[in-house]
Amino acid sequence: MKQFFSQRLQRHQKQMTRYLRYVFNDHFALISTFLVGGLGLYYSELLKTLPRPFPLGGVIVVAVWLFVLPLGRLATLTKPADLIFLLAKEGQMTSYLSQALRYSLWLPFGVLFLTVGATMPLVVVTANSTFASFPYFLGMMWLLKLGDLSLQRIRLYQETQQQVKQQRGIWMVSALVAALASIYVVPWLGLVISILQAIWFLFGVKSNRQLLDWDYMIQAEQSRLMRIYRFINLFTDVPQITTEAKRRKYLDWLLAKIKPVHSNTYLYLYLRRVIRGGQYGGLYVRLSLIGGFVLFFVDELWISLLIGCLFLYLIGFQLIPLINEFQYMVLTHLYPVPEKQKAAAIKKILGALLLVTAVLFGVICCLRLPFVWQGGIAFLGFLGFAGLFLGIYLPGRLKKMHA
């Protein structure tokens, strides 16, 4: 079964590698560089204003750690057909799930490494600790995550749901105690507590029945994969993601504003796709809300401009593939509509959507920045960026797509 898991893992990693090259492209790297650099500078300036020691900082650090700990699910890589073809191998699934547990530790380890590293400056300010304590904190977090994944593995067996619920409470309490002890007492104490809880959840807690709950295990794995596919779908089309059209009658007034004339054919089709389809409309709403939420906590003009323009770019960039919709329909090729009408329709829709988002970001900046005139400058900056995107970037991008 170990070899069988390795084969599945290789196929899974090959598929993820094919998708991730579209995610971690040049645009993503450039945006991440500016975003991380801006937030890092803002974070360092904020730390300089905090008193030493800063007791409330410990609470913030513990809250961040406990928020990040549940991230990352047990990757069993099981498929719906396993319910039939692997049922005879159920007795050998223990070694398979052990391999899955070890593999599932790597991604959370990277996330925890970055999280603990990012919070270390605040820990130093909070507890008069030093950066030499970093290995203690990282080891503590990794062992706590090991206990979490062990509980997820136990849940895969039948009649263990109630047992896992009870043990989940113990895990949460031990995680809280370990984090608080490492911050407010000594770092090594939190590591000791995490070692004890990891040993308990690995060897002390076992399922009473050794029969797997195949339906739950397959459903949990499919849910985990769908979350990954939804993230990748923000950057490229994923065949596993299917969207359903929704009526959304309350938005019909937008469609009614488009005159039923020959020149508005694609404008009507694209707007209808955005309104009634979940992919583009949901993407636009999510990015606008996330951008507005982030801007609400920023009180520096240049950082607000950077973040606002970043989200405007993401919205525009992710909506450009809308131009390829309806390509599969034969009538769009037979109907005598000029090809250039597509580009004009996309430009109008993106212009309207970016304008709405720019207004939203501008209002938030006017409310949050120290002076109203700074909010006005931010709003003009958002409008200027949207104009440059529509006038310079969009035509070049469309020409490249159809080259």
Side-chain angles (χ1 to χ4, degrees), residues 289-330:
L289 292 179
I290 293 173
F293 178 79
V294 174
L295 286 174
F296 186 78
F297 294 95
V298 177
D299 55 5
E300 291 287 342
L301 174 59
W302 70 272
I303 297 180
S304 297
L305 278 170
L306 178 64
I307 294 176
C309 292
L310 169 64
F311 277 94
L312 288 173
Y313 171 79
L314 288 176
I315 291 172
F317 178 77
Q318 299 299 333
L319 293 182
I320 290 177
L322 181 64
I323 196 172
N324 292 324
E325 294 293 322
F326 309 107
Q327 286 289 97
Y328 62 93
M329 296 178 62
V330 178

CSV table of all heavy atoms in Angstrom, one decimal, residues 289-330:
chain,number,residue,atom,x,y,z
A,289,LEU,N,-14.7,42.9,-2.2
A,289,LEU,CA,-15.0,42.9,-0.8
A,289,LEU,C,-13.7,42.7,0.0
A,289,LEU,O,-13.4,43.3,1.0
A,289,LEU,CB,-16.0,41.8,-0.4
A,289,LEU,CG,-17.4,42.0,-0.9
A,289,LEU,CD1,-18.3,40.8,-0.4
A,289,LEU,CD2,-18.0,43.3,-0.3
A,290,ILE,N,-12.8,41.8,-0.5
A,290,ILE,CA,-11.5,41.5,0.2
A,290,ILE,C,-10.7,42.8,0.1
A,290,ILE,O,-10.0,43.2,1.1
A,290,ILE,CB,-10.8,40.3,-0.4
A,290,ILE,CG1,-11.6,39.0,-0.1
A,290,ILE,CG2,-9.4,40.2,0.1
A,290,ILE,CD1,-11.0,37.8,-0.8
A,291,GLY,N,-10.6,43.4,-1.1
A,291,GLY,CA,-9.9,44.6,-1.2
A,291,GLY,C,-10.4,45.7,-0.3
A,291,GLY,O,-9.6,46.5,0.3
A,292,GLY,N,-11.7,45.9,-0.2
A,292,GLY,CA,-12.3,46.9,0.6
A,292,GLY,C,-12.0,46.6,2.1
A,292,GLY,O,-11.7,47.5,2.9
A,293,PHE,N,-12.0,45.3,2.5
A,293,PHE,CA,-11.7,45.0,3.9
A,293,PHE,C,-10.3,45.3,4.2
A,293,PHE,O,-10.0,45.8,5.3
A,293,PHE,CB,-12.0,43.5,4.0
A,293,PHE,CG,-11.7,42.9,5.4
A,293,PHE,CD1,-12.6,43.1,6.4
A,293,PHE,CD2,-10.6,42.2,5.7
A,293,PHE,CE1,-12.3,42.6,7.7
A,293,PHE,CE2,-10.3,41.8,6.9
A,293,PHE,CZ,-11.2,42.0,8.0
A,294,VAL,N,-9.4,45.0,3.3
A,294,VAL,CA,-8.0,45.3,3.6
A,294,VAL,C,-7.7,46.8,3.7
A,294,VAL,O,-7.0,47.3,4.6
A,294,VAL,CB,-7.0,44.7,2.5
A,294,VAL,CG1,-5.6,45.1,2.7
A,294,VAL,CG2,-7.2,43.1,2.5
A,295,LEU,N,-8.3,47.6,2.8
A,295,LEU,CA,-8.2,49.0,2.8
A,295,LEU,C,-8.7,49.6,4.1
A,295,LEU,O,-8.3,50.7,4.5
A,295,LEU,CB,-8.8,49.6,1.6
A,295,LEU,CG,-8.1,49.4,0.2
A,295,LEU,CD1,-9.0,50.0,-0.9
A,295,LEU,CD2,-6.8,50.1,0.3
A,296,PHE,N,-9.7,49.0,4.7
A,296,PHE,CA,-10.4,49.6,5.9
A,296,PHE,C,-9.4,49.6,7.0
A,296,PHE,O,-9.5,50.4,7.9
A,296,PHE,CB,-11.6,48.7,6.3
A,296,PHE,CG,-12.4,49.3,7.4
A,296,PHE,CD1,-13.3,50.3,7.2
A,296,PHE,CD2,-12.2,48.8,8.7
A,296,PHE,CE1,-14.0,50.9,8.2
A,296,PHE,CE2,-13.0,49.3,9.7
A,296,PHE,CZ,-13.9,50.3,9.5
A,297,PHE,N,-8.3,48.8,7.0
A,297,PHE,CA,-7.4,48.7,8.1
A,297,PHE,C,-6.1,49.4,7.8
A,297,PHE,O,-5.1,49.3,8.5
A,297,PHE,CB,-7.1,47.3,8.5
A,297,PHE,CG,-8.3,46.6,9.1
A,297,PHE,CD1,-9.1,45.8,8.3
A,297,PHE,CD2,-8.6,46.7,10.4
A,297,PHE,CE1,-10.2,45.1,8.8
A,297,PHE,CE2,-9.7,46.1,11.0
A,297,PHE,CZ,-10.5,45.3,10.2
A,298,VAL,N,-6.0,50.2,6.7
A,298,VAL,CA,-4.8,50.9,6.3
A,298,VAL,C,-5.1,52.4,6.4
A,298,VAL,O,-6.1,53.0,6.0
A,298,VAL,CB,-4.5,50.6,4.8
A,298,VAL,CG1,-3.3,51.4,4.3
A,298,VAL,CG2,-4.2,49.1,4.7
A,299,ASP,N,-4.1,53.1,7.0
A,299,ASP,CA,-4.2,54.6,7.2
A,299,ASP,C,-3.1,55.3,6.6
A,299,ASP,O,-2.8,56.5,6.9
A,299,ASP,CB,-4.4,54.9,8.7
A,299,ASP,CG,-3.2,54.4,9.5
A,299,ASP,OD1,-2.3,53.8,8.9
A,299,ASP,OD2,-3.2,54.6,10.7
A,300,GLU,N,-2.3,54.7,5.6
A,300,GLU,CA,-1.3,55.3,4.9
A,300,GLU,C,-1.7,55.5,3.4
A,300,GLU,O,-2.2,54.5,2.8
A,300,GLU,CB,0.0,54.5,5.0
A,300,GLU,CG,0.7,54.5,6.4
A,300,GLU,CD,1.3,55.8,6.7
A,300,GLU,OE1,1.6,56.6,5.8
A,300,GLU,OE2,1.6,56.1,7.9
A,301,LEU,N,-1.5,56.7,2.9
A,301,LEU,CA,-2.0,57.0,1.5
A,301,LEU,C,-1.3,56.1,0.5
A,301,LEU,O,-2.0,55.4,-0.3
A,301,LEU,CB,-1.7,58.4,1.2
A,301,LEU,CG,-2.1,58.9,-0.2
A,301,LEU,CD1,-3.5,58.6,-0.6
A,301,LEU,CD2,-1.7,60.3,-0.5
A,302,TRP,N,0.0,56.0,0.5
A,302,TRP,CA,0.7,55.2,-0.5
A,302,TRP,C,0.4,53.7,-0.4
A,302,TRP,O,0.3,53.1,-1.5
A,302,TRP,CB,2.2,55.5,-0.5
A,302,TRP,CG,2.9,55.0,0.7
A,302,TRP,CD1,3.1,55.5,1.9
A,302,TRP,CD2,3.6,53.7,0.7
A,302,TRP,NE1,3.8,54.7,2.7
A,302,TRP,CE2,4.1,53.6,2.0
A,302,TRP,CE3,3.8,52.7,-0.2
A,302,TRP,CZ2,4.8,52.4,2.4
A,302,TRP,CZ3,4.5,51.5,0.2
A,302,TRP,CH2,5.0,51.4,1.5
A,303,ILE,N,0.2,53.2,0.8
A,303,ILE,CA,-0.1,51.8,0.9
A,303,ILE,C,-1.5,51.6,0.4
A,303,ILE,O,-1.8,50.5,-0.2
A,303,ILE,CB,0.1,51.4,2.4
A,303,ILE,CG1,1.5,51.5,2.8
A,303,ILE,CG2,-0.4,49.9,2.6
A,303,ILE,CD1,1.8,51.1,4.3
A,304,SER,N,-2.4,52.5,0.7
A,304,SER,CA,-3.8,52.4,0.2
A,304,SER,C,-3.8,52.4,-1.3
A,304,SER,O,-4.5,51.6,-2.0
A,304,SER,CB,-4.7,53.5,0.7
A,304,SER,OG,-4.8,53.5,2.1
A,305,LEU,N,-3.0,53.3,-1.9
A,305,LEU,CA,-2.9,53.3,-3.4
A,305,LEU,C,-2.4,52.0,-4.0
A,305,LEU,O,-2.9,51.4,-4.9
A,305,LEU,CB,-2.0,54.4,-3.8
A,305,LEU,CG,-2.7,55.8,-3.9
A,305,LEU,CD1,-1.6,56.9,-4.1
A,305,LEU,CD2,-3.7,55.9,-5.0
A,306,LEU,N,-1.4,51.5,-3.3
A,306,LEU,CA,-0.7,50.2,-3.8
A,306,LEU,C,-1.7,49.0,-3.7
A,306,LEU,O,-1.9,48.3,-4.6
A,306,LEU,CB,0.5,49.9,-2.9
A,306,LEU,CG,1.2,48.6,-3.3
A,306,LEU,CD1,1.8,48.7,-4.7
A,306,LEU,CD2,2.4,48.4,-2.3
A,307,ILE,N,-2.4,48.9,-2.5
A,307,ILE,CA,-3.3,47.8,-2.3
A,307,ILE,C,-4.5,47.9,-3.3
A,307,ILE,O,-5.0,47.0,-3.9
A,307,ILE,CB,-3.8,47.7,-0.9
A,307,ILE,CG1,-2.6,47.4,0.0
A,307,ILE,CG2,-4.9,46.7,-0.7
A,307,ILE,CD1,-2.9,47.4,1.5
A,308,GLY,N,-5.1,49.2,-3.4
A,308,GLY,CA,-6.2,49.4,-4.2
A,308,GLY,C,-5.9,49.1,-5.7
A,308,GLY,O,-6.7,48.4,-6.4
A,309,CYS,N,-4.8,49.6,-6.2
A,309,CYS,CA,-4.4,49.3,-7.6
A,309,CYS,C,-4.2,47.8,-7.8
A,309,CYS,O,-4.5,47.2,-8.9
A,309,CYS,CB,-3.2,50.1,-8.0
A,309,CYS,SG,-3.5,51.9,-8.0
A,310,LEU,N,-3.6,47.1,-6.8
A,310,LEU,CA,-3.4,45.7,-6.9
A,310,LEU,C,-4.7,44.9,-7.1
A,310,LEU,O,-4.8,44.1,-8.0
A,310,LEU,CB,-2.6,45.2,-5.6
A,310,LEU,CG,-2.5,43.7,-5.4
A,310,LEU,CD1,-1.7,43.1,-6.5
A,310,LEU,CD2,-2.0,43.4,-4.1
A,311,PHE,N,-5.7,45.3,-6.3
A,311,PHE,CA,-6.9,44.5,-6.4
A,311,PHE,C,-7.7,44.9,-7.7
A,311,PHE,O,-8.4,44.1,-8.3
A,311,PHE,CB,-7.8,44.8,-5.2
A,311,PHE,CG,-7.5,43.9,-4.0
A,311,PHE,CD1,-6.6,44.3,-3.0
A,311,PHE,CD2,-8.1,42.7,-3.9
A,311,PHE,CE1,-6.3,43.5,-2.0
A,311,PHE,CE2,-7.8,41.8,-2.9
A,311,PHE,CZ,-6.9,42.2,-1.9
A,312,LEU,N,-7.6,46.2,-8.1
A,312,LEU,CA,-8.1,46.5,-9.4
A,312,LEU,C,-7.5,45.8,-10.5
A,312,LEU,O,-8.2,45.3,-11.5
A,312,LEU,CB,-8.0,48.0,-9.6
A,312,LEU,CG,-8.8,49.0,-8.8
A,312,LEU,CD1,-8.4,50.4,-9.0
A,312,LEU,CD2,-10.3,48.8,-9.1
A,313,TYR,N,-6.2,45.6,-10.5
A,313,TYR,CA,-5.5,44.8,-11.5
A,313,TYR,C,-6.0,43.3,-11.5
A,313,TYR,O,-6.2,42.7,-12.5
A,313,TYR,CB,-4.0,44.8,-11.3
A,313,TYR,CG,-3.2,43.9,-12.1
A,313,TYR,CD1,-3.0,44.2,-13.5
A,313,TYR,CD2,-2.8,42.7,-11.6
A,313,TYR,CE1,-2.3,43.3,-14.3
A,313,TYR,CE2,-2.1,41.8,-12.4
A,313,TYR,CZ,-1.8,42.1,-13.7
A,313,TYR,OH,-1.2,41.2,-14.5
A,314,LEU,N,-6.1,42.8,-10.2
A,314,LEU,CA,-6.5,41.4,-10.1
A,314,LEU,C,-7.9,41.2,-10.7
A,314,LEU,O,-8.2,40.2,-11.4
A,314,LEU,CB,-6.5,40.9,-8.7
A,314,LEU,CG,-5.1,40.7,-8.0
A,314,LEU,CD1,-5.2,40.4,-6.6
A,314,LEU,CD2,-4.3,39.6,-8.8
A,315,ILE,N,-8.8,42.1,-10.4
A,315,ILE,CA,-10.2,42.0,-10.9
A,315,ILE,C,-10.2,42.1,-12.5
A,315,ILE,O,-10.8,41.3,-13.1
A,315,ILE,CB,-11.1,43.2,-10.3
A,315,ILE,CG1,-11.3,42.9,-8.9
A,315,ILE,CG2,-12.4,43.2,-11.1
A,315,ILE,CD1,-12.0,44.1,-8.2
A,316,GLY,N,-9.5,43.1,-13.0
A,316,GLY,CA,-9.4,43.2,-14.5
A,316,GLY,C,-8.8,42.0,-15.1
A,316,GLY,O,-9.3,41.5,-16.1
A,317,PHE,N,-7.7,41.6,-14.5
A,317,PHE,CA,-6.9,40.4,-15.1
A,317,PHE,C,-7.7,39.2,-15.1
A,317,PHE,O,-7.7,38.4,-16.1
A,317,PHE,CB,-5.6,40.3,-14.4
A,317,PHE,CG,-4.8,39.1,-14.9
A,317,PHE,CD1,-4.0,39.2,-16.0
A,317,PHE,CD2,-4.7,37.9,-14.2
A,317,PHE,CE1,-3.3,38.2,-16.5
A,317,PHE,CE2,-4.0,36.8,-14.6
A,317,PHE,CZ,-3.2,37.0,-15.8
A,318,GLN,N,-8.4,38.9,-14.0
A,318,GLN,CA,-9.2,37.7,-13.9
A,318,GLN,C,-10.5,37.7,-14.8
A,318,GLN,O,-11.0,36.6,-15.1
A,318,GLN,CB,-9.6,37.4,-12.4
A,318,GLN,CG,-8.4,37.3,-11.5
A,318,GLN,CD,-7.5,36.1,-11.8
A,318,GLN,OE1,-8.0,35.1,-12.4
A,318,GLN,NE2,-6.3,36.2,-11.5
A,319,LEU,N,-11.0,38.8,-15.1
A,319,LEU,CA,-12.2,38.9,-15.9
A,319,LEU,C,-11.9,39.0,-17.4
A,319,LEU,O,-12.8,38.8,-18.2
A,319,LEU,CB,-13.0,40.1,-15.5
A,319,LEU,CG,-13.6,40.1,-14.1
A,319,LEU,CD1,-14.4,41.4,-13.9
A,319,LEU,CD2,-14.5,38.9,-13.9
A,320,ILE,N,-10.7,39.1,-17.8
A,320,ILE,CA,-10.3,39.1,-19.3
A,320,ILE,C,-10.7,37.9,-20.0
A,320,ILE,O,-11.2,37.9,-21.1
A,320,ILE,CB,-8.8,39.4,-19.5
A,320,ILE,CG1,-8.5,40.9,-19.1
A,320,ILE,CG2,-8.4,39.2,-20.9
A,320,ILE,CD1,-7.1,41.3,-19.2
A,321,PRO,N,-10.5,36.7,-19.4
A,321,PRO,CA,-11.0,35.4,-20.1
A,321,PRO,C,-12.5,35.4,-20.4
A,321,PRO,O,-12.9,34.5,-21.2
A,321,PRO,CB,-10.6,34.3,-19.1
A,321,PRO,CG,-9.5,34.9,-18.3
A,321,PRO,CD,-9.8,36.3,-18.2
A,322,LEU,N,-13.2,36.3,-19.9
A,322,LEU,CA,-14.7,36.4,-20.3
A,322,LEU,C,-14.8,36.5,-21.8
A,322,LEU,O,-15.9,36.0,-22.4
A,322,LEU,CB,-15.3,37.6,-19.6
A,322,LEU,CG,-16.8,37.8,-19.8
A,322,LEU,CD1,-17.6,36.6,-19.3
A,322,LEU,CD2,-17.2,39.1,-19.2
A,323,ILE,N,-13.8,37.0,-22.5
A,323,ILE,CA,-14.0,37.2,-24.0
A,323,ILE,C,-14.1,35.9,-24.7
A,323,ILE,O,-14.6,35.8,-25.8
A,323,ILE,CB,-12.8,38.0,-24.5
A,323,ILE,CG1,-13.1,38.6,-25.9
A,323,ILE,CG2,-11.5,37.2,-24.5
A,323,ILE,CD1,-12.1,39.5,-26.4
A,324,ASN,N,-13.6,34.8,-24.1
A,324,ASN,CA,-13.6,33.5,-24.7
A,324,ASN,C,-14.9,32.7,-24.4
A,324,ASN,O,-15.0,31.6,-24.9
A,324,ASN,CB,-12.4,32.7,-24.3
A,324,ASN,CG,-11.1,33.2,-24.8
A,324,ASN,OD1,-11.0,33.7,-25.9
A,324,ASN,ND2,-10.0,33.1,-24.0
A,325,GLU,N,-15.8,33.3,-23.6
A,325,GLU,CA,-17.0,32.6,-23.4
A,325,GLU,C,-17.9,32.6,-24.7
A,325,GLU,O,-17.7,33.4,-25.6
A,325,GLU,CB,-17.8,33.4,-22.3
A,325,GLU,CG,-17.2,33.3,-21.0
A,325,GLU,CD,-17.2,31.9,-20.4
A,325,GLU,OE1,-18.2,31.2,-20.6
A,325,GLU,OE2,-16.2,31.5,-19.7
A,326,PHE,N,-18.7,31.6,-24.8
A,326,PHE,CA,-19.6,31.4,-26.0
A,326,PHE,C,-18.8,31.0,-27.2
A,326,PHE,O,-19.4,30.9,-28.3
A,326,PHE,CB,-20.4,32.7,-26.3
A,326,PHE,CG,-21.1,33.2,-25.1
A,326,PHE,CD1,-20.7,34.4,-24.5
A,326,PHE,CD2,-22.2,32.6,-24.5
A,326,PHE,CE1,-21.3,34.9,-23.3
A,326,PHE,CE2,-22.9,33.1,-23.4
A,326,PHE,CZ,-22.4,34.2,-22.8
A,327,GLN,N,-17.6,30.7,-27.1
A,327,GLN,CA,-16.8,30.2,-28.3
A,327,GLN,C,-17.3,28.8,-28.7
A,327,GLN,O,-17.2,28.5,-29.9
A,327,GLN,CB,-15.3,30.1,-27.9
A,327,GLN,CG,-14.6,31.4,-27.9
A,327,GLN,CD,-14.4,32.0,-29.2
A,327,GLN,OE1,-15.2,32.9,-29.6
A,327,GLN,NE2,-13.4,31.6,-29.9
A,328,TYR,N,-17.9,28.0,-27.8
A,328,TYR,CA,-18.4,26.7,-28.1
A,328,TYR,C,-19.7,26.7,-28.8
A,328,TYR,O,-20.2,25.7,-29.4
A,328,TYR,CB,-18.5,25.9,-26.8
A,328,TYR,CG,-19.5,26.5,-25.9
A,328,TYR,CD1,-20.9,26.0,-25.9
A,328,TYR,CD2,-19.2,27.4,-24.9
A,328,TYR,CE1,-21.8,26.6,-25.0
A,328,TYR,CE2,-20.1,28.0,-24.1
A,328,TYR,CZ,-21.4,27.5,-24.1
A,328,TYR,OH,-22.3,28.1,-23.2
A,329,MET,N,-20.4,27.9,-28.9
A,329,MET,CA,-21.7,28.0,-29.5
A,329,MET,C,-21.5,28.2,-31.0
A,329,MET,O,-20.9,29.2,-31.4
A,329,MET,CB,-22.5,29.1,-28.8
A,329,MET,CG,-22.8,28.8,-27.4
A,329,MET,SD,-23.8,30.2,-26.6
A,329,MET,CE,-25.3,30.2,-27.6
A,330,VAL,N,-22.2,27.4,-31.8
A,330,VAL,CA,-22.0,27.5,-33.2
A,330,VAL,C,-22.6,28.8,-33.8
A,330,VAL,O,-22.1,29.4,-34.7
A,330,VAL,CB,-22.7,26.3,-33.9
A,330,VAL,CG1,-22.6,26.4,-35.4
A,330,VAL,CG2,-22.1,25.0,-33.4
